[in-house]
């Protein structure tokens, strides 16, 4: 039997700590962006990544998709996932560098099954992507309710990183 201290998940620290964004800046990026890349352990243990639209609320990520497919099969087999968001990606030719800001997440994904939690998650997606069409969004939710799979990522580790040039120009 493992001791409690052996069960603690340890994530690597960022090597270039001077490029680490604050938690507040990281969350701001997470809230402002509209898409990211979900990474799962796919078929035959090959990594599988797919872009998804998401929302961040109450410390969790929510997204939706079809009820079956590679992404869903992978999450059912192994709930450990990664999620990456790139907020800024500006190539600076003259200095052979890129000015970037990004967020990397490690967490656990689960398919939401309870109506109340599914409604909360999908409402948060409508609020983010169609805030001027809440009523129409509610109608869309009703019509697609039985066809849509809603997923949640509980964040276990999150880091934000920026190009050193952006950090130094603050």
């Amino acid at each position: 039997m493992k001791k409690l201290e052996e069960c603690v998940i340890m994530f690597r620290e960022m090597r270039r700590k001077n490029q680490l964004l604050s938690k507040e800046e990281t969350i701001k990026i997470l809230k402002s962006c509209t898409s990211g890349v979900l990474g799962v352990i796919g078929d035959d243990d090959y990594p599988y990544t797919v872009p998804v639209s998401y929302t961040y609320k109450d410390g969790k990520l929510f997204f939706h998709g079809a009820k079956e497919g590679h992404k869903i099969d992978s999450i059912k087999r192994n709930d450990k996932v990664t999620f990456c968001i790139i907020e800024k990606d500006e190539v600076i030719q003259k200095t052979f560098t890129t000015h970037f800001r990004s967020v990397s997440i490690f967490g656990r994904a689960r398919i939401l099954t309870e109506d109340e939690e599914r409604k909360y998650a999908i409402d948060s997606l409508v609020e983010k992507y169609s805030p001027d069409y809440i009523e129409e969004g509610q109608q869309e939710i009703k019509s697609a309710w039985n066809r849509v799979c809603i997923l949640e990522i509980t964040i276990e580790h999150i880091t934000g990183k920026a190009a050193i040039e952006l950090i130094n120009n603050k």
Side-chain angles (χ1 to χ4, degrees):
M1 182 172 206
K2 289 185 178 183
K3 295 179 184 174
L4 181 59
E5 56 270 8
E6 292 174 358
C7 295
V8 174
I9 298 169
M10 295 300 293
F11 293 96
R12 291 183 185 211
E13 288 187 25
M14 187 181 297
R15 189 172 52 87
R16 295 186 172 181
K17 290 179 184 49
N18 59 339
Q19 292 180 254
L20 184 66
L21 296 175
S22 70
K23 180 147 185 149
E24 294 76 25
E25 290 172 295
T26 301
I27 298 302
K28 185 176 177 183
I29 292 170
L30 199 53
K31 287 181 175 180
S32 69
C33 290
T34 58
S35 65
V37 178
L38 174 70
V40 298
I41 299 168
D43 295 344
D44 294 322
D45 294 328
Y46 279 95
Y48 174 69
T49 59
V50 61
V52 297
S53 298
Y54 73 95
T55 189
Y56 172 81
K57 196 167 184 177
D58 298 328
K60 296 181 180 193
L61 296 177
F62 300 103
F63 59 98
H64 76 293
K67 286 189 169 189
E68 54 186 45
H70 197 166
K71 171 178 58 194
I72 299 301
D73 292 345
S74 298
I75 290 169
K76 285 178 179 178
R77 273 193 313 270
N78 189 331
D79 66 346
K80 292 180 181 177
V81 298
T82 63
F83 195 76
C84 177
I85 299 150
I86 300 171
E87 180 208 38
K88 181 177 179 66
D89 180 27
E90 179 185 357
V91 174
I92 311 299
Q93 293 183 48
K94 185 176 181 180
T95 56
F96 306 100
T97 192
T98 303
H99 289 180
F100 67 90
R101 285 170 45 100
S102 63
V103 173
S104 291
I105 292 170
F106 292 88
R108 302 274 181 152
R110 72 181 183 100
I111 298 167
L112 301 181
T113 57
E114 300 297 321
D115 284 349
E116 188 175 308
E117 61 185 3
R118 291 181 77 223
K119 181 84 168 88
Y120 177 82
I122 203 147
D123 282 348
S124 69
L125 286 161
V126 171
E127 290 167 10
K128 179 174 182 173
Y129 292 96
S130 299
D132 297 332
Y133 298 91
I134 300 295
E135 191 173 309
E136 294 86 345
Q138 295 304 314
Q139 292 303 313
E140 183 66 23
I141 290 168
K142 283 180 187 174
S143 68
W145 187 256
N146 292 322
R147 295 187 315 272
V148 69
C149 180
I150 305 163
L151 298 104
E152 168 192 281
I153 296 175
T154 299
I155 299 170
E156 294 182 330
H157 183 69
I158 183 170
T159 56
K161 184 176 180 182
I164 195 67
E165 296 85 356
L166 297 177
I167 298 288
N168 291 339
N169 287 334
K170 280 187 177 178

